[in-house]
Amino acid sequence: MKCVRVNDPSEFDAKVADALQKSNSVFVLFFGREVSETNESWCPDCVIADPTVRKVVNTVENSILLEVPVDRKSDVSSPANIFRTREDIRLGAIPTLLKWTAAGPGSRLVEDECFEEENIVKFVNSSS
């Protein structure tokens, strides 16, 4: 698994396009950005989901995980959040794991759906 960090939302589409040129197994993980004091996400659900998401996506051959940090809880629900307002993403909560294809985002897991390894395994192995 290759991880690519997308710190600047303006680079999102270019990083997705680049990943799709390199792999048919592209996943996008929206999560709460790490706080400097602990180097862990401010989002407790993200802290729980992160190791399991990475473990499972790592089992997918030639997979690329695009990591997209969200700064604060208020940013997730803000109408100004670019990922919340984009028609193809409509981010409503984190963590959110999307499967991305040339056609755009497909299926997704949201919040506690990202906790269980079995859910993530089914998700990454599904065709949509």
Side-chain angles (χ1 to χ4, degrees), residues 29-70:
L29 178 62
F30 292 93
F31 67 98
R33 186 182 301 277
E34 301 87 351
V35 294
S36 58
E37 297 81 26
T38 63
N39 206 32
E40 286 190 343
S41 172
W42 58 260
C43 167
D45 288 347
C46 300
V47 172
I48 294 168
D50 186 74
T52 309
V53 167
R54 290 176 187 283
K55 175 183 174 186
V56 174
V57 172
N58 193 46
T59 66
V60 179
E61 189 175 337
N62 195 34
S63 62
I64 297 177
L65 180 65
L66 295 170
E67 306 166 331
V68 185
V70 176

Side-chain angles (χ1 to χ4, degrees), residues 51-95:
T52 309
V53 167
R54 290 176 187 283
K55 175 183 174 186
V56 174
V57 172
N58 193 46
T59 66
V60 179
E61 189 175 337
N62 195 34
S63 62
I64 297 177
L65 180 65
L66 295 170
E67 306 166 331
V68 185
V70 176
D71 284 326
R72 281 187 231 114
K73 191 169 189 168
S74 61
D75 289 347
V76 177
S77 58
S78 169
N81 181 310
I82 188 169
F83 298 115
R84 182 177 175 82
T85 58
R86 273 185 59 154
E87 287 295 316
D88 59 343
I89 297 174
R90 293 186 178 228
L91 183 65
I94 55 173

Side-chain angles (χ1 to χ4, degrees), residues 98-113:
L98 294 167
K99 187 180 289 189
W100 209 282
T101 68
S107 56
R108 68 180 63 205
L109 295 177
V110 180
E111 291 183 309
D112 61 348
E113 296 172 338

